[in-house]
Amino acid sequence: MASKAKSKANQILVGDCIELMKEMPAGSVDMVFADPPYNLQLEGELLRPNNSKVDAVDDDWDQFDSLAVYDAFSKAWLSEARRVLKPDGTLWVIGSYHNIFRVGSILQDLDFWILNDVIWRKTNPMPNFRGRRFTNAHETLIWCARDQKSRYRFNYEAMKNLNDDLQMRSDWLLPLCTGRERLKINGKKAHPTQKPESLLHRVILSSTEVGEVVLDPFFGSGTTGAVAKRLHRKFIGLERDADYAAIAEKRIGHVRPADDADLVSTPAKRSQPRIPFGWLVERGMLRAGDTLRDASKRHSARIRADGTLITSEFKGSIHQVGAFVQKAPACNGWQFWYAEVQGKLVPIDVLRQQLRSEIH
């Protein structure tokens, strides 16, 4: 841990987050994830039907004298967060109905550019014990760029892969932090609002790259740092409670990063070099006269020396012929066609990736 903000990453700084951010260089972090006080405004004890006390958030750090005081606090930390963000950086902030709408308004007043609101729908929410409201089963994340002109990062392919090859939606069904992941001291929660690592995994993987710096102004139990370390990202954690900072430091010390940084990076397809199908032919990975088939073996076409395919009725590119045999308007030939390699059908996209790695 350290007590003063420096440009060095992978550290936990103890103190007021606003003052600590003021000591940080402008444009020095790639992403901010913030889990600020929600200002829950709880009054009195919250009891279950059997009169046992609910372990609710009633700590001093979540207490504000008025909404105006909370708004001033929000504007102050968001202003500093925007200053330390790189021009193309993004900010994530999570909250509940108590605060997220006020935070969203201040974000826009400060010229952040909102990209998405994401609903974290909890698989196991806390029941509404008083029975006078709907069960509060979600929290809201706002994702925004530093400004409207920011060329922000979004790892679309990583999110699609994570979602079983479907576009990732803005409603995320994830469990609360429970079981072995929940940090405890003497049988009690070490931190009342510890976020699940699955949530931070999705946030960090979606909008940063290996080696980039993630700032968390409300570090708490260190979930952001733990996930960042595992994904080969750097982190700076700001935490005013020295006890929480010590818990986070111990936790992160036990985290083992992925063995290979390439395993936690998903380059955008548009950033990868273009590999024409004909290159596979001219390099001998496939040969003129070889037959390609689809996965079901219903359709087939032969390879020509110029990298086109031919059937008994049609000639064209791998995409054109794939669309023709399916009577479809379009086709991704790299995914549709398979070649026989050592007695097994292999997607020709595997061969493309192999050639791409050999070239680069």
Side-chain angles (χ1 to χ4, degrees), residues 76-123:
W77 76 258
L78 283 168
S79 296
E80 285 304 315
R82 188 173 188 273
R83 186 186 66 82
V84 300
L85 261 183
K86 293 180 180 178
D88 295 332
T90 59
L91 176 143
W92 290 81
V93 58
I94 186 170
S96 69
Y97 68 88
H98 302 87
N99 71 324
I100 198 65
F101 303 109
R102 308 187 76 83
V103 171
S105 176
I106 294 168
L107 283 168
Q108 292 181 316
D109 289 344
L110 293 175
D111 292 328
F112 282 96
W113 188 251
I114 294 179
L115 303 170
N116 278 112
D117 64 327
V118 174
I119 300 300
W120 167 30
R121 186 157 65 92
K122 303 171 183 178
T123 60

mmCIF file of all heavy atoms in Angstrom, residues 76-123:
data_model
loop_
_atom_site.group_PDB
_atom_site.id
_atom_site.type_symbol
_atom_site.label_atom_id
_atom_site.label_comp_id
_atom_site.label_asym_id
_atom_site.label_seq_id
_atom_site.Cartn_x
_atom_site.Cartn_y
_atom_site.Cartn_z
ATOM 1 N N ALA A 76 -17.567 16.084 -7.692
ATOM 2 C CA ALA A 76 -16.139 16.252 -7.398
ATOM 3 C C ALA A 76 -15.333 15.032 -7.840
ATOM 4 O O ALA A 76 -14.291 15.170 -8.515
ATOM 5 C CB ALA A 76 -15.950 16.519 -5.906
ATOM 6 N N TRP A 77 -15.785 13.820 -7.474
ATOM 7 C CA TRP A 77 -14.978 12.645 -7.829
ATOM 8 C C TRP A 77 -15.072 12.336 -9.323
ATOM 9 O O TRP A 77 -14.094 11.898 -9.939
ATOM 10 C CB TRP A 77 -15.311 11.439 -6.965
ATOM 11 C CG TRP A 77 -16.576 10.677 -7.240
ATOM 12 C CD1 TRP A 77 -17.748 10.753 -6.549
ATOM 13 C CD2 TRP A 77 -16.786 9.679 -8.254
ATOM 14 N NE1 TRP A 77 -18.686 9.891 -7.073
ATOM 15 C CE2 TRP A 77 -18.114 9.211 -8.117
ATOM 16 C CE3 TRP A 77 -15.991 9.131 -9.255
ATOM 17 C CZ2 TRP A 77 -18.662 8.237 -8.954
ATOM 18 C CZ3 TRP A 77 -16.527 8.165 -10.107
ATOM 19 C CH2 TRP A 77 -17.850 7.727 -9.947
ATOM 20 N N LEU A 78 -16.239 12.585 -9.927
ATOM 21 C CA LEU A 78 -16.376 12.347 -11.367
ATOM 22 C C LEU A 78 -15.527 13.332 -12.178
ATOM 23 O O LEU A 78 -14.970 12.964 -13.226
ATOM 24 C CB LEU A 78 -17.831 12.442 -11.783
ATOM 25 C CG LEU A 78 -18.698 11.228 -11.445
ATOM 26 C CD1 LEU A 78 -20.178 11.548 -11.643
ATOM 27 C CD2 LEU A 78 -18.303 10.020 -12.288
ATOM 28 N N SER A 79 -15.407 14.561 -11.708
ATOM 29 C CA SER A 79 -14.571 15.547 -12.400
ATOM 30 C C SER A 79 -13.111 15.113 -12.403
ATOM 31 O O SER A 79 -12.422 15.198 -13.433
ATOM 32 C CB SER A 79 -14.702 16.916 -11.728
ATOM 33 O OG SER A 79 -16.023 17.410 -11.830
ATOM 34 N N GLU A 80 -12.626 14.621 -11.265
ATOM 35 C CA GLU A 80 -11.247 14.156 -11.200
ATOM 36 C C GLU A 80 -11.057 12.875 -12.003
ATOM 37 O O GLU A 80 -10.022 12.678 -12.644
ATOM 38 C CB GLU A 80 -10.831 13.949 -9.747
ATOM 39 C CG GLU A 80 -10.555 15.235 -9.000
ATOM 40 C CD GLU A 80 -9.502 16.089 -9.695
ATOM 41 O OE1 GLU A 80 -8.458 15.549 -10.125
ATOM 42 O OE2 GLU A 80 -9.725 17.306 -9.826
ATOM 43 N N ALA A 81 -12.056 12.007 -11.977
ATOM 44 C CA ALA A 81 -11.959 10.774 -12.772
ATOM 45 C C ALA A 81 -11.861 11.103 -14.259
ATOM 46 O O ALA A 81 -11.088 10.474 -15.000
ATOM 47 C CB ALA A 81 -13.175 9.894 -12.503
ATOM 48 N N ARG A 82 -12.604 12.086 -14.690
ATOM 49 C CA ARG A 82 -12.555 12.486 -16.104
ATOM 50 C C ARG A 82 -11.193 13.079 -16.455
ATOM 51 O O ARG A 82 -10.644 12.833 -17.533
ATOM 52 C CB ARG A 82 -13.652 13.495 -16.409
ATOM 53 C CG ARG A 82 -13.809 13.813 -17.890
ATOM 54 C CD ARG A 82 -15.024 14.697 -18.139
ATOM 55 N NE ARG A 82 -15.267 14.843 -19.563
ATOM 56 C CZ ARG A 82 -14.687 15.772 -20.328
ATOM 57 N NH1 ARG A 82 -13.830 16.640 -19.788
ATOM 58 N NH2 ARG A 82 -14.954 15.843 -21.620
ATOM 59 N N ARG A 83 -10.630 13.828 -15.539
ATOM 60 C CA ARG A 83 -9.324 14.443 -15.792
ATOM 61 C C ARG A 83 -8.225 13.399 -15.945
ATOM 62 O O ARG A 83 -7.343 13.535 -16.810
ATOM 63 C CB ARG A 83 -8.975 15.406 -14.646
ATOM 64 C CG ARG A 83 -7.691 16.212 -14.874
ATOM 65 C CD ARG A 83 -7.330 17.023 -13.640
ATOM 66 N NE ARG A 83 -6.983 16.155 -12.510
ATOM 67 C CZ ARG A 83 -5.784 15.607 -12.339
ATOM 68 N NH1 ARG A 83 -4.807 15.797 -13.233
ATOM 69 N NH2 ARG A 83 -5.548 14.842 -11.288
ATOM 70 N N VAL A 84 -8.249 12.349 -15.120
ATOM 71 C CA VAL A 84 -7.171 11.355 -15.177
ATOM 72 C C VAL A 84 -7.393 10.319 -16.282
ATOM 73 O O VAL A 84 -6.478 9.563 -16.604
ATOM 74 C CB VAL A 84 -6.982 10.639 -13.822
ATOM 75 C CG1 VAL A 84 -6.632 11.645 -12.742
ATOM 76 C CG2 VAL A 84 -8.196 9.824 -13.432
ATOM 77 N N LEU A 85 -8.583 10.297 -16.875
ATOM 78 C CA LEU A 85 -8.840 9.389 -17.989
ATOM 79 C C LEU A 85 -8.105 9.846 -19.242
ATOM 80 O O LEU A 85 -8.020 11.047 -19.527
ATOM 81 C CB LEU A 85 -10.332 9.345 -18.305
ATOM 82 C CG LEU A 85 -11.189 8.207 -17.775
ATOM 83 C CD1 LEU A 85 -12.621 8.365 -18.291
ATOM 84 C CD2 LEU A 85 -10.646 6.842 -18.161
ATOM 85 N N LYS A 86 -7.594 8.903 -20.009
ATOM 86 C CA LYS A 86 -7.049 9.226 -21.319
ATOM 87 C C LYS A 86 -8.182 9.677 -22.242
ATOM 88 O O LYS A 86 -9.351 9.343 -22.016
ATOM 89 C CB LYS A 86 -6.346 8.002 -21.905
ATOM 90 C CG LYS A 86 -5.090 7.602 -21.137
ATOM 91 C CD LYS A 86 -4.423 6.378 -21.751
ATOM 92 C CE LYS A 86 -3.175 6.007 -20.961
ATOM 93 N NZ LYS A 86 -2.504 4.787 -21.497
ATOM 94 N N PRO A 87 -7.880 10.447 -23.288
ATOM 95 C CA PRO A 87 -8.938 10.969 -24.164
ATOM 96 C C PRO A 87 -9.872 9.895 -24.720
ATOM 97 O O PRO A 87 -11.068 10.151 -24.907
ATOM 98 C CB PRO A 87 -8.153 11.653 -25.286
ATOM 99 C CG PRO A 87 -6.868 12.067 -24.637
ATOM 100 C CD PRO A 87 -6.548 10.971 -23.654
ATOM 101 N N ASP A 88 -9.345 8.691 -24.967
ATOM 102 C CA ASP A 88 -10.167 7.605 -25.500
ATOM 103 C C ASP A 88 -10.582 6.606 -24.419
ATOM 104 O O ASP A 88 -11.020 5.498 -24.721
ATOM 105 C CB ASP A 88 -9.415 6.882 -26.626
ATOM 106 C CG ASP A 88 -9.181 7.781 -27.835
ATOM 107 O OD1 ASP A 88 -9.988 8.703 -28.054
ATOM 108 O OD2 ASP A 88 -8.182 7.573 -28.546
ATOM 109 N N GLY A 89 -10.434 6.992 -23.163
ATOM 110 C CA GLY A 89 -10.786 6.103 -22.061
ATOM 111 C C GLY A 89 -12.278 6.063 -21.789
ATOM 112 O O GLY A 89 -13.050 6.907 -22.274
ATOM 113 N N THR A 90 -12.687 5.077 -20.998
ATOM 114 C CA THR A 90 -14.090 4.954 -20.627
ATOM 115 C C THR A 90 -14.231 4.815 -19.114
ATOM 116 O O THR A 90 -13.274 4.475 -18.414
ATOM 117 C CB THR A 90 -14.771 3.738 -21.296
ATOM 118 O OG1 THR A 90 -14.094 2.530 -20.914
ATOM 119 C CG2 THR A 90 -14.788 3.877 -22.798
ATOM 120 N N LEU A 91 -15.434 5.092 -18.637
ATOM 121 C CA LEU A 91 -15.750 5.000 -17.218
ATOM 122 C C LEU A 91 -16.993 4.151 -17.027
ATOM 123 O O LEU A 91 -17.972 4.294 -17.764
ATOM 124 C CB LEU A 91 -15.963 6.390 -16.627
ATOM 125 C CG LEU A 91 -16.387 6.474 -15.156
ATOM 126 C CD1 LEU A 91 -15.715 7.670 -14.479
ATOM 127 C CD2 LEU A 91 -17.904 6.594 -14.998
ATOM 128 N N TRP A 92 -16.926 3.258 -16.043
ATOM 129 C CA TRP A 92 -18.072 2.471 -15.604
ATOM 130 C C TRP A 92 -18.420 2.904 -14.193
ATOM 131 O O TRP A 92 -17.528 3.033 -13.346
ATOM 132 C CB TRP A 92 -17.734 0.981 -15.575
ATOM 133 C CG TRP A 92 -17.535 0.318 -16.892
ATOM 134 C CD1 TRP A 92 -16.412 0.332 -17.665
ATOM 135 C CD2 TRP A 92 -18.479 -0.512 -17.592
ATOM 136 N NE1 TRP A 92 -16.591 -0.432 -18.790
ATOM 137 C CE2 TRP A 92 -17.852 -0.965 -18.769
ATOM 138 C CE3 TRP A 92 -19.790 -0.924 -17.325
ATOM 139 C CZ2 TRP A 92 -18.493 -1.790 -19.682
ATOM 140 C CZ3 TRP A 92 -20.431 -1.754 -18.228
ATOM 141 C CH2 TRP A 92 -19.795 -2.178 -19.396
ATOM 142 N N VAL A 93 -19.694 3.109 -13.922
ATOM 143 C CA VAL A 93 -20.126 3.390 -12.559
ATOM 144 C C VAL A 93 -21.366 2.551 -12.279
ATOM 145 O O VAL A 93 -22.236 2.407 -13.141
ATOM 146 C CB VAL A 93 -20.402 4.901 -12.343
ATOM 147 C CG1 VAL A 93 -21.454 5.424 -13.292
ATOM 148 C CG2 VAL A 93 -20.785 5.174 -10.894
ATOM 149 N N ILE A 94 -21.421 1.950 -11.103
ATOM 150 C CA ILE A 94 -22.532 1.086 -10.736
ATOM 151 C C ILE A 94 -23.297 1.719 -9.579
ATOM 152 O O ILE A 94 -22.721 2.385 -8.715
ATOM 153 C CB ILE A 94 -22.032 -0.323 -10.358
ATOM 154 C CG1 ILE A 94 -23.214 -1.278 -10.122
ATOM 155 C CG2 ILE A 94 -21.101 -0.285 -9.161
ATOM 156 C CD1 ILE A 94 -22.798 -2.737 -9.984
ATOM 157 N N GLY A 95 -24.612 1.523 -9.576
ATOM 158 C CA GLY A 95 -25.425 2.062 -8.500
ATOM 159 C C GLY A 95 -26.803 1.432 -8.484
ATOM 160 O O GLY A 95 -27.122 0.543 -9.279
ATOM 161 N N SER A 96 -27.625 1.920 -7.575
ATOM 162 C CA SER A 96 -29.000 1.445 -7.447
ATOM 163 C C SER A 96 -29.934 2.621 -7.689
ATOM 164 O O SER A 96 -29.492 3.742 -7.995
ATOM 165 C CB SER A 96 -29.233 0.862 -6.053
ATOM 166 O OG SER A 96 -29.199 1.913 -5.092
ATOM 167 N N TYR A 97 -31.230 2.399 -7.524
ATOM 168 C CA TYR A 97 -32.184 3.479 -7.753
ATOM 169 C C TYR A 97 -31.973 4.652 -6.799
ATOM 170 O O TYR A 97 -32.423 5.768 -7.061
ATOM 171 C CB TYR A 97 -33.617 2.956 -7.640
ATOM 172 C CG TYR A 97 -34.035 2.530 -6.244
ATOM 173 C CD1 TYR A 97 -34.577 3.442 -5.336
ATOM 174 C CD2 TYR A 97 -33.893 1.204 -5.831
ATOM 175 C CE1 TYR A 97 -34.960 3.047 -4.067
ATOM 176 C CE2 TYR A 97 -34.273 0.804 -4.558
ATOM 177 C CZ TYR A 97 -34.803 1.726 -3.672
ATOM 178 O OH TYR A 97 -35.175 1.339 -2.421
ATOM 179 N N HIS A 98 -31.242 4.440 -5.701
ATOM 180 C CA HIS A 98 -30.995 5.512 -4.745
ATOM 181 C C HIS A 98 -30.109 6.603 -5.328
ATOM 182 O O HIS A 98 -30.232 7.764 -4.940
ATOM 183 C CB HIS A 98 -30.311 4.959 -3.489
ATOM 184 C CG HIS A 98 -31.079 3.891 -2.792
ATOM 185 N ND1 HIS A 98 -30.968 2.557 -3.133
ATOM 186 C CD2 HIS A 98 -31.983 3.950 -1.778
ATOM 187 C CE1 HIS A 98 -31.761 1.850 -2.350
ATOM 188 N NE2 HIS A 98 -32.386 2.659 -1.520
ATOM 189 N N ASN A 99 -29.189 6.212 -6.237
ATOM 190 C CA ASN A 99 -28.193 7.189 -6.671
ATOM 191 C C ASN A 99 -27.901 7.226 -8.164
ATOM 192 O O ASN A 99 -27.371 8.221 -8.664
ATOM 193 C CB ASN A 99 -26.870 6.920 -5.942
ATOM 194 C CG ASN A 99 -26.170 5.658 -6.421
ATOM 195 O OD1 ASN A 99 -26.813 4.653 -6.753
ATOM 196 N ND2 ASN A 99 -24.857 5.686 -6.459
ATOM 197 N N ILE A 100 -28.217 6.176 -8.895
ATOM 198 C CA ILE A 100 -27.695 6.072 -10.260
ATOM 199 C C ILE A 100 -28.259 7.133 -11.196
ATOM 200 O O ILE A 100 -27.589 7.593 -12.125
ATOM 201 C CB ILE A 100 -27.915 4.639 -10.836
ATOM 202 C CG1 ILE A 100 -27.000 4.405 -12.043
ATOM 203 C CG2 ILE A 100 -29.381 4.417 -11.182
ATOM 204 C CD1 ILE A 100 -25.525 4.405 -11.716
ATOM 205 N N PHE A 101 -29.490 7.575 -10.964
ATOM 206 C CA PHE A 101 -30.080 8.592 -11.834
ATOM 207 C C PHE A 101 -29.422 9.954 -11.605
ATOM 208 O O PHE A 101 -29.184 10.716 -12.550
ATOM 209 C CB PHE A 101 -31.589 8.679 -11.607
ATOM 210 C CG PHE A 101 -32.289 7.372 -11.819
ATOM 211 C CD1 PHE A 101 -32.817 6.673 -10.749
ATOM 212 C CD2 PHE A 101 -32.397 6.813 -13.084
ATOM 213 C CE1 PHE A 101 -33.453 5.451 -10.936
ATOM 214 C CE2 PHE A 101 -33.021 5.595 -13.284
ATOM 215 C CZ PHE A 101 -33.549 4.910 -12.212
ATOM 216 N N ARG A 102 -29.095 10.250 -10.352
ATOM 217 C CA ARG A 102 -28.397 11.486 -10.053
ATOM 218 C C ARG A 102 -26.988 11.451 -10.633
ATOM 219 O O ARG A 102 -26.505 12.436 -11.211
ATOM 220 C CB ARG A 102 -28.345 11.714 -8.541
ATOM 221 C CG ARG A 102 -29.696 11.619 -7.850
ATOM 222 C CD ARG A 102 -29.636 12.015 -6.396
ATOM 223 N NE ARG A 102 -29.541 13.461 -6.253
ATOM 224 C CZ ARG A 102 -30.582 14.292 -6.284
ATOM 225 N NH1 ARG A 102 -31.795 13.819 -6.458
ATOM 226 N NH2 ARG A 102 -30.407 15.595 -6.155
ATOM 227 N N VAL A 103 -26.312 10.322 -10.504
ATOM 228 C CA VAL A 103 -24.967 10.171 -11.070
ATOM 229 C C VAL A 103 -25.007 10.305 -12.591
ATOM 230 O O VAL A 103 -24.161 10.971 -13.193
ATOM 231 C CB VAL A 103 -24.357 8.820 -10.653
ATOM 232 C CG1 VAL A 103 -23.063 8.551 -11.419
ATOM 233 C CG2 VAL A 103 -24.093 8.792 -9.156
ATOM 234 N N GLY A 104 -26.011 9.699 -13.228
ATOM 235 C CA GLY A 104 -26.128 9.790 -14.675
ATOM 236 C C GLY A 104 -26.296 11.216 -15.155
ATOM 237 O O GLY A 104 -25.707 11.631 -16.168
ATOM 238 N N SER A 105 -27.087 12.003 -14.448
ATOM 239 C CA SER A 105 -27.271 13.405 -14.817
ATOM 240 C C SER A 105 -25.972 14.186 -14.702
ATOM 241 O O SER A 105 -25.627 14.992 -15.579
ATOM 242 C CB SER A 105 -28.348 14.022 -13.911
ATOM 243 O OG SER A 105 -28.500 15.396 -14.172
ATOM 244 N N ILE A 106 -25.220 13.936 -13.631
ATOM 245 C CA ILE A 106 -23.948 14.636 -13.438
ATOM 246 C C ILE A 106 -22.941 14.217 -14.504
ATOM 247 O O ILE A 106 -22.164 15.057 -15.005
ATOM 248 C CB ILE A 106 -23.410 14.362 -12.021
ATOM 249 C CG1 ILE A 106 -24.348 15.004 -10.989
ATOM 250 C CG2 ILE A 106 -21.992 14.902 -11.848
ATOM 251 C CD1 ILE A 106 -24.085 14.568 -9.560
ATOM 252 N N LEU A 107 -22.940 12.946 -14.877
ATOM 253 C CA LEU A 107 -22.062 12.481 -15.961
ATOM 254 C C LEU A 107 -22.284 13.299 -17.226
ATOM 255 O O LEU A 107 -21.333 13.749 -17.882
ATOM 256 C CB LEU A 107 -22.320 11.001 -16.256
ATOM 257 C CG LEU A 107 -21.733 9.966 -15.304
ATOM 258 C CD1 LEU A 107 -22.333 8.594 -15.574
ATOM 259 C CD2 LEU A 107 -20.217 9.903 -15.429
ATOM 260 N N GLN A 108 -23.538 13.497 -17.584
ATOM 261 C CA GLN A 108 -23.842 14.264 -18.789
ATOM 262 C C GLN A 108 -23.489 15.738 -18.622
ATOM 263 O O GLN A 108 -23.011 16.374 -19.559
ATOM 264 C CB GLN A 108 -25.315 14.091 -19.155
ATOM 265 C CG GLN A 108 -25.641 12.672 -19.615
ATOM 266 C CD GLN A 108 -27.087 12.492 -19.998
ATOM 267 O OE1 GLN A 108 -27.991 12.952 -19.319
ATOM 268 N NE2 GLN A 108 -27.324 11.815 -21.120
ATOM 269 N N ASP A 109 -23.692 16.290 -17.424
ATOM 270 C CA ASP A 109 -23.311 17.682 -17.172
ATOM 271 C C ASP A 109 -21.813 17.884 -17.343
ATOM 272 O O ASP A 109 -21.364 18.978 -17.725
ATOM 273 C CB ASP A 109 -23.717 18.095 -15.750
ATOM 274 C CG ASP A 109 -25.224 18.235 -15.587
ATOM 275 O OD1 ASP A 109 -25.935 18.317 -16.608
ATOM 276 O OD2 ASP A 109 -25.690 18.245 -14.426
ATOM 277 N N LEU A 110 -21.034 16.840 -17.055
ATOM 278 C CA LEU A 110 -19.571 16.920 -17.161
ATOM 279 C C LEU A 110 -19.061 16.539 -18.548
ATOM 280 O O LEU A 110 -17.849 16.417 -18.755
ATOM 281 C CB LEU A 110 -18.926 16.017 -16.107
ATOM 282 C CG LEU A 110 -19.133 16.436 -14.648
ATOM 283 C CD1 LEU A 110 -18.548 15.386 -13.691
ATOM 284 C CD2 LEU A 110 -18.508 17.796 -14.368
ATOM 285 N N ASP A 111 -19.975 16.331 -19.490
ATOM 286 C CA ASP A 111 -19.642 16.028 -20.901
ATOM 287 C C ASP A 111 -19.129 14.621 -21.133
ATOM 288 O O ASP A 111 -18.531 14.335 -22.186
ATOM 289 C CB ASP A 111 -18.631 17.040 -21.468
ATOM 290 C CG ASP A 111 -19.235 18.432 -21.612
ATOM 291 O OD1 ASP A 111 -20.451 18.521 -21.871
ATOM 292 O OD2 ASP A 111 -18.497 19.419 -21.466
ATOM 293 N N PHE A 112 -19.332 13.698 -20.174
ATOM 294 C CA PHE A 112 -19.147 12.292 -20.515
ATOM 295 C C PHE A 112 -20.184 11.924 -21.582
ATOM 296 O O PHE A 112 -21.263 12.519 -21.649
ATOM 297 C CB PHE A 112 -19.362 11.405 -19.287
ATOM 298 C CG PHE A 112 -18.212 11.368 -18.320
ATOM 299 C CD1 PHE A 112 -18.189 12.201 -17.201
ATOM 300 C CD2 PHE A 112 -17.155 10.487 -18.508
ATOM 301 C CE1 PHE A 112 -17.144 12.153 -16.292
ATOM 302 C CE2 PHE A 112 -16.106 10.426 -17.604
ATOM 303 C CZ PHE A 112 -16.096 11.262 -16.498
ATOM 304 N N TRP A 113 -19.858 10.915 -22.396
ATOM 305 C CA TRP A 113 -20.764 10.473 -23.454
ATOM 306 C C TRP A 113 -21.252 9.061 -23.110
ATOM 307 O O TRP A 113 -20.489 8.107 -23.171
ATOM 308 C CB TRP A 113 -20.067 10.476 -24.808
ATOM 309 C CG TRP A 113 -20.988 10.214 -25.964
ATOM 310 C CD1 TRP A 113 -21.048 9.088 -26.733
ATOM 311 C CD2 TRP A 113 -21.978 11.105 -26.485
ATOM 312 N NE1 TRP A 113 -22.004 9.210 -27.696
ATOM 313 C CE2 TRP A 113 -22.608 10.447 -27.573
ATOM 314 C CE3 TRP A 113 -22.416 12.389 -26.143
ATOM 315 C CZ2 TRP A 113 -23.629 11.020 -28.307
ATOM 316 C CZ3 TRP A 113 -23.434 12.960 -26.879
ATOM 317 C CH2 TRP A 113 -24.028 12.285 -27.945
ATOM 318 N N ILE A 114 -22.511 8.948 -22.725
ATOM 319 C CA ILE A 114 -23.036 7.656 -22.280
ATOM 320 C C ILE A 114 -23.172 6.697 -23.458
ATOM 321 O O ILE A 114 -23.781 7.018 -24.485
ATOM 322 C CB ILE A 114 -24.377 7.841 -21.551
ATOM 323 C CG1 ILE A 114 -24.161 8.626 -20.247
ATOM 324 C CG2 ILE A 114 -25.015 6.488 -21.247
ATOM 325 C CD1 ILE A 114 -25.427 8.892 -19.451
ATOM 326 N N LEU A 115 -22.604 5.510 -23.307
ATOM 327 C CA LEU A 115 -22.609 4.482 -24.344
ATOM 328 C C LEU A 115 -23.689 3.430 -24.098
ATOM 329 O O LEU A 115 -24.352 2.982 -25.034
ATOM 330 C CB LEU A 115 -21.236 3.794 -24.417
ATOM 331 C CG LEU A 115 -20.047 4.722 -24.672
ATOM 332 C CD1 LEU A 115 -18.736 3.979 -24.474
ATOM 333 C CD2 LEU A 115 -20.120 5.305 -26.082
ATOM 334 N N ASN A 116 -23.830 3.004 -22.866
ATOM 335 C CA ASN A 116 -24.824 1.990 -22.501
ATOM 336 C C ASN A 116 -25.208 2.156 -21.043
ATOM 337 O O ASN A 116 -24.400 2.613 -20.235
ATOM 338 C CB ASN A 116 -24.280 0.566 -22.650
ATOM 339 C CG ASN A 116 -24.341 0.019 -24.061
ATOM 340 O OD1 ASN A 116 -23.302 -0.178 -24.681
ATOM 341 N ND2 ASN A 116 -25.524 -0.246 -24.573
ATOM 342 N N ASP A 117 -26.426 1.788 -20.714
ATOM 343 C CA ASP A 117 -26.724 1.432 -19.334
ATOM 344 C C ASP A 117 -26.912 -0.076 -19.328
ATOM 345 O O ASP A 117 -27.558 -0.636 -20.200
ATOM 346 C CB ASP A 117 -27.950 2.175 -18.779
ATOM 347 C CG ASP A 117 -29.234 1.814 -19.500
ATOM 348 O OD1 ASP A 117 -29.179 1.543 -20.715
ATOM 349 O OD2 ASP A 117 -30.295 1.823 -18.865
ATOM 350 N N VAL A 118 -26.290 -0.722 -18.380
ATOM 351 C CA VAL A 118 -26.298 -2.183 -18.299
ATOM 352 C C VAL A 118 -27.002 -2.591 -17.015
ATOM 353 O O VAL A 118 -26.703 -2.058 -15.938
ATOM 354 C CB VAL A 118 -24.854 -2.752 -18.324
ATOM 355 C CG1 VAL A 118 -24.874 -4.256 -18.092
ATOM 356 C CG2 VAL A 118 -24.180 -2.421 -19.653
ATOM 357 N N ILE A 119 -27.929 -3.502 -17.125
ATOM 358 C CA ILE A 119 -28.653 -3.996 -15.965
ATOM 359 C C ILE A 119 -28.000 -5.287 -15.484
ATOM 360 O O ILE A 119 -27.906 -6.265 -16.231
ATOM 361 C CB ILE A 119 -30.134 -4.272 -16.299
ATOM 362 C CG1 ILE A 119 -30.812 -2.990 -16.784
ATOM 363 C CG2 ILE A 119 -30.863 -4.847 -15.088
ATOM 364 C CD1 ILE A 119 -30.799 -1.861 -15.791
ATOM 365 N N TRP A 120 -27.514 -5.251 -14.237
ATOM 366 C CA TRP A 120 -27.032 -6.486 -13.608
ATOM 367 C C TRP A 120 -28.222 -7.095 -12.871
ATOM 368 O O TRP A 120 -28.619 -6.617 -11.824
ATOM 369 C CB TRP A 120 -25.878 -6.192 -12.654
ATOM 370 C CG TRP A 120 -25.547 -7.347 -11.739
ATOM 371 C CD1 TRP A 120 -25.699 -8.680 -12.007
ATOM 372 C CD2 TRP A 120 -25.020 -7.270 -10.405
ATOM 373 N NE1 TRP A 120 -25.297 -9.439 -10.929
ATOM 374 C CE2 TRP A 120 -24.885 -8.603 -9.927
ATOM 375 C CE3 TRP A 120 -24.651 -6.219 -9.579
ATOM 376 C CZ2 TRP A 120 -24.392 -8.885 -8.660
ATOM 377 C CZ3 TRP A 120 -24.158 -6.498 -8.315
ATOM 378 C CH2 TRP A 120 -24.032 -7.826 -7.867
ATOM 379 N N ARG A 121 -28.780 -8.145 -13.457
ATOM 380 C CA ARG A 121 -29.926 -8.817 -12.851
ATOM 381 C C ARG A 121 -29.403 -9.959 -11.991
ATOM 382 O O ARG A 121 -28.723 -10.858 -12.471
ATOM 383 C CB ARG A 121 -30.874 -9.344 -13.940
ATOM 384 C CG ARG A 121 -32.163 -9.918 -13.390
ATOM 385 C CD ARG A 121 -33.267 -9.907 -14.457
ATOM 386 N NE ARG A 121 -32.965 -10.778 -15.577
ATOM 387 C CZ ARG A 121 -33.347 -12.060 -15.663
ATOM 388 N NH1 ARG A 121 -34.050 -12.597 -14.679
ATOM 389 N NH2 ARG A 121 -33.062 -12.773 -16.725
ATOM 390 N N LYS A 122 -29.723 -9.917 -10.719
ATOM 391 C CA LYS A 122 -29.164 -10.855 -9.753
ATOM 392 C C LYS A 122 -29.963 -12.152 -9.730
ATOM 393 O O LYS A 122 -31.194 -12.129 -9.640
ATOM 394 C CB LYS A 122 -29.153 -10.223 -8.368
ATOM 395 C CG LYS A 122 -28.383 -8.909 -8.315
ATOM 396 C CD LYS A 122 -28.570 -8.183 -7.000
ATOM 397 C CE LYS A 122 -27.863 -6.839 -6.999
ATOM 398 N NZ LYS A 122 -28.068 -6.094 -5.739
ATOM 399 N N THR A 123 -29.275 -13.271 -9.803
ATOM 400 C CA THR A 123 -29.956 -14.564 -9.752
ATOM 401 C C THR A 123 -30.465 -14.863 -8.350
ATOM 402 O O THR A 123 -31.397 -15.656 -8.181
ATOM 403 C CB THR A 123 -29.005 -15.694 -10.191
ATOM 404 O OG1 THR A 123 -27.864 -15.714 -9.306
ATOM 405 C CG2 THR A 123 -28.532 -15.487 -11.624
#
